[in-house]
Amino acid sequence: MSTTTVSQIDQVKTTPWAGGRSPFATEYGKIMMWFFLLSDAFTFSSLLISYGALRFSANSWPAADLVFQSVPFLIEHGAPLVFVGIMTFILIMSSVTMVLGVEAGHRGARKEVAMWMVLTIIGGFMFLGCQALEWTHLHHDGFWWGRTPTDLKEYFHEGAPLSRTYTQQFANLFFTITGFHGFHVFSGVIINIIILINVLKGTYEKRGSYLMIEKVGLYWHFVDLVWVFVFTFFYLV
């Protein structure tokens, strides 16, 4: 009867078919987060491509600088991109605070991680609040799913043909895509709150790793990146 030495067992464990070290040298949960973000990117891409196809095949489309020219409940006309610029700045700054939180986690600085997570959460809530104000203002103006303003002239440049059909498509896609993105921001805020609670409880300090902060950071940066494309498609083009 043959016997197997310890060195032979070790050799078996390190074969390509026996598991061992990940070929990507990356933690499993982090790889799964990348897979999730990739699938989510496909969803956002399909929505934005649909919008782009309709937008550039139409002979008339509501002008972004006329639709989004107000600061809700402060300035009614003449301030195109001001409010959405504020929203974008808030979201970008929340991404910066998340980066600083991840960096503090690498150093094991629990108090700093908690501080940056709080600021990230505040930034997320501020963005959602701004989006709620924008939606409320547009709804007041007559834009909504299945509904368009009675007078379309103020949303099209002079000389452009007015089209209620294309205005309706614009409204439907705007609220669908920005709403889907807003849901992602809201989900990210809830996840960040859960992570913050664990940080305050010392959960990751006991584990000896703040890798979870980095995983959540990947999701938050993805949400910010998607907003860049949403901003470009709806507010700039």
Side-chain angles (χ1 to χ4, degrees), residues 136-214:
T136 301
H137 184 268
L138 290 173
H139 182 266
H140 180 267
D141 284 350
F143 288 98
W144 201 240
W145 281 287
R147 199 180 79 186
T148 58
T150 303
D151 185 10
L152 298 180
K153 291 181 181 178
E154 60 180 303
Y155 304 108
F156 288 81
H157 287 302
E158 187 176 352
L162 306 182
S163 173
R164 190 164 299 278
T165 299
Y166 289 134
T167 304
Q168 186 62 76
Q169 291 176 348
F170 164 80
N172 290 344
L173 284 166
F174 173 80
F175 288 112
T176 298
I177 295 175
T178 58
F180 190 51
H181 177 267
F183 172 74
H184 279 70
V185 175
F186 177 75
S187 301
V189 169
I190 298 301
I191 294 171
N192 284 340
I193 291 174
I194 295 172
I195 297 300
L196 173 63
I197 293 172
N198 286 334
V199 170
L200 295 175
K201 289 170 60 178
T203 301
Y204 306 122
E205 196 169 45
K206 293 174 183 176
R207 292 180 186 175
S209 171
Y210 282 84
L211 183 60
M212 185 60 70
I213 310 296
E214 189 172 347

Side-chain angles (χ1 to χ4, degrees), residues 1 17 23 27 30 39 44 51 60 97 115 119 126 131 137 143 147 157 171 176 216-217 232:
M1 181 176 179
W17 300 101
E27 194 263 343
K30 197 172 178 180
S39 64
F44 274 107
Y51 175 82
S60 180
T97 56
M115 178 186 69
L119 292 176
M126 289 177 66
Q131 190 170 58
H137 184 268
F143 288 98
R147 199 180 79 186
H157 287 302
T176 298
V216 175
T232 302

Side-chain angles (χ1 to χ4, degrees), residues 4-237:
T4 305
T5 64
V6 174
S7 60
Q8 288 174 322
I9 294 175
D10 290 339
Q11 187 176 14
V12 171
K13 286 183 177 179
T14 56
T15 61
W17 300 101
R21 185 175 180 180
S22 168
F24 302 108
T26 305
E27 194 263 343
Y28 174 79
K30 197 172 178 180
I31 293 177
M32 292 301 101
M33 176 60 77
W34 277 111
F35 279 137
F36 167 74
L37 296 181
L38 182 61
S39 64
D40 218 18
F42 289 145
T43 305
F44 274 107
S45 297
S46 63
L47 289 170
L48 291 172
I49 288 171
S50 297
Y51 175 82
L54 286 172
R55 167 69 179 85
F56 292 107
S57 64
N59 59 1
S60 180
W61 199 260
D65 59 329
L66 298 179
V67 176
F68 306 107
Q69 62 170 324
S70 63
V71 177
F73 309 108
L74 291 177
I75 303 173
E76 193 63 29
H77 301 287
L81 299 182
V82 171
F83 191 66
V84 70
I86 295 172
M87 292 173 60
T88 303
F89 176 77
I90 290 171
L91 200 59
I92 290 174
M93 289 307 299
S94 73
S95 191
V96 172
T97 56
M98 177 59 81
V99 168
L100 294 172
V102 172
E103 189 276 331
H106 288 160
R107 293 187 283 106
R110 182 159 66 100
K111 291 183 178 180
E112 288 186 39
V113 173
M115 178 186 69
W116 294 122
M117 291 299 294
V118 167
L119 292 176
T120 303
I121 292 167
I122 291 173
F125 275 126
M126 289 177 66
F127 178 85
L128 291 171
C130 289
Q131 190 170 58
L133 286 175
E134 183 180 53
W135 275 34
T136 301
H137 184 268
L138 290 173
H139 182 266
H140 180 267
D141 284 350
F143 288 98
W144 201 240
W145 281 287
R147 199 180 79 186
T148 58
T150 303
D151 185 10
L152 298 180
K153 291 181 181 178
E154 60 180 303
Y155 304 108
F156 288 81
H157 287 302
E158 187 176 352
L162 306 182
S163 173
R164 190 164 299 278
T165 299
Y166 289 134
T167 304
Q168 186 62 76
Q169 291 176 348
F170 164 80
N172 290 344
L173 284 166
F174 173 80
F175 288 112
T176 298
I177 295 175
T178 58
F180 190 51
H181 177 267
F183 172 74
H184 279 70
V185 175
F186 177 75
S187 301
V189 169
I190 298 301
I191 294 171
N192 284 340
I193 291 174
I194 295 172
I195 297 300
L196 173 63
I197 293 172
N198 286 334
V199 170
L200 295 175
K201 289 170 60 178
T203 301
Y204 306 122
E205 196 169 45
K206 293 174 183 176
R207 292 180 186 175
S209 171
Y210 282 84
L211 183 60
M212 185 60 70
I213 310 296
E214 189 172 347
K215 295 177 191 175
V216 175
L218 288 173
Y219 176 82
W220 195 255
H221 298 322
F222 170 78
V223 169
D224 288 0
L225 179 62
V226 168
W227 177 252
V228 171
F229 288 97
V230 173
F231 174 82
T232 302
F233 273 66
F234 281 102
Y235 298 92
L236 294 182
V237 177

